[in-house]
Amino acid sequence: MILLSSACQQAVVLVQGRKYETDTTGTMPPILHVVSQAFLLLLPLGLSQEFDWTKDHGGSFYYGTFPPGFSWGVGSSAYQTEGAWDQDGKGLSIWDVFTRINGKVHLNETGDSSCESYYKFKALQDRYGGWQNNSLINFFNDYANLCFETFGDRVKHWITFNNPWSTAVEGYEVGEHAPGLRLKGVGAYRAAHNIIKAHAKAWHTYDKLWRNHQKGLVGISITSEWGEPVDITSQKDIEAAERYIQFYLGWFANPIFSGDYPQVMKDCIGRKSSQEGLSVSRLPAFTPQEKHFIKGTADFFGLGHFTTRYITHRNYHYSKGPSYYTDRDLAELVDPGWPDPGSEWLYSVPWGFRRILNYIKSRYGNPRIYVTENGVSEKQQCTELCDKWRMQYMNNYVNEILKAVKDGVKVKGYTSWSLLDKFEWDEGYSERFGLYYIDFESKNKRRYPKASVQYYRKMISSNGFPNQREIESWKRKAAEACSTTNALLAADPLVNHMEMVTEIVVPTVCILCILLSAILLMFVLRRQ
Ligand SMILES: *[C@@H]1O[C@H](CO)[C@@H](O)[C@H](O)[C@H]1NC(C)=O
Ligand SMILES: *[C@@H]1O[C@H](CO)[C@@H](O)[C@H](O)[C@H]1NC(C)=O
């Protein structure tokens, strides 16, 4: 239970496994009066015959036990133990202010750091192993429910997880992302298994408790690249490309939209597991009840998509050791002609977008789709604000969405990734996805629009691509706008210099002047 007010003395009372908190200095909530009276009535029932408890025997001790189901707890409170008074956006409480008034507290002490419980709370990773542990399903559900309750009057589109593939594979298989675990061939599957169940549970919670009056939608956002067979006449390559997509997209989409893991995943991982001498597959299985519970738990399909690979069949011998990557029995290739302006993995291959959208339409019952992430990066050394390649990428990728819409795919929205240059996970600040450029060294982190801002703005206001002449004029205007901004950016060191002058030099000179005048004045007064 979360204490919203840390200012009052709190005691936690556990009653039949449920917690109630009471202000021990004030009045009890009515429920506690009822409960405590119930205790008074209940306690005598368990008395032994020999002991007359109504008599005060002074010093004599009554041996006995409490009624079954009696709950025991121990109290604590935020202000008194946590410390961290100014951390993580926490505002001031009345006690923070009060303890700063000298004379109010013994030795003028404050709860600013106290026991520092705040820092000693284990996030859920250390205690449970994060998504390896199915306990997280209920924790996630509690969290989601709190969000529905708090923000659901305004938020009508909920995404439970964004890019669970990355959490599972990069977090639990290769360890390049947090929590950095390398549990090859098992970690990712176990994490995904719990994430899928947690998603389904949160969806059901919304459906049961909130949907009626909040009338919102709950979905999941699955990131997947497209896999194209290298040789479209080779059955092996066609099957390998299918495996690539199933291990990426189908892994999450299949249980949620169709009720179970893709058959190819079950087959491949099952076969390798038995070759490794395991009696059960490294891919966990859903029970029939779980399949039923998970199926249909998305009101829309969120899709993140960036790039495409050519896929060819390649056999990996099980003796290489288990891993998500070798389980797929394939190799990924790229066309050296594909533009590759930024992140190493991110080739611009617009046509893959239309294919993956059509794939989702045909495999998952033509769900409504929101594109939740799509964009391109550049490397840090490049401070070119006239980002032609980004305009090109956006232009062509969004155009493939338009084609998919004409194909009958129900794409309902597009979110470009991303607004600002920012911390790019394991790549730090070295890869820039932003429509706005940020000089991370600068004091105020001023934002500079790249050309693509202007271009995207036009695309939005026209709701697409009206005609060629119009689009050519967008490109011209974007180029003009960005050369102006480029000039501003070039002048930035000067601006910073000016700021230093106004913020440091001017005050220093003023203070020196005042001091000098004071000294002069003293001299003059002495003379007189
Ligand atoms: C606490 O503040 C009061 C009021 O300003 C002052 O008289 C007292 O000396 C302070 N005590 C300590 C231990 O600093
Ligand atoms: C989950 O976490 C609990 C508490 O730490 C632990 O007892 C249990 O063994 C864990 N289960 C798994 C599957 O890791």
Side-chain angles (χ1 to χ4, degrees), residues 101-105 107-108:
I101 306 170
N102 276 341
K104 293 288 182 195
V105 179
L107 300 180
N108 305 327

Side-chain angles (χ1 to χ4, degrees), residues 38-49 53 62 65-68:
F39 280 161
L40 291 181
L41 292 173
L42 280 172
L43 285 176
L45 298 179
L47 293 182
S48 65
Q49 297 298 322
W53 66 279
Y62 173 58
T65 53
F66 289 91

Side-chain angles (χ1 to χ4, degrees), residues 162-163 220-225 248-249 301-307 353 356 360 369-374 415:
N162 179 49
N163 199 353
I220 185 167
S221 178
I222 300 169
T223 297
S224 178
E225 314 310 359
Y248 221 135
L249 182 90
F301 196 122
L303 176 68
H305 176 75
F306 293 87
T307 189
F353 209 172
I356 199 169
I360 293 168
I369 299 174
Y370 287 91
V371 175
T372 50
E373 281 190 89
N374 172 252
T415 312

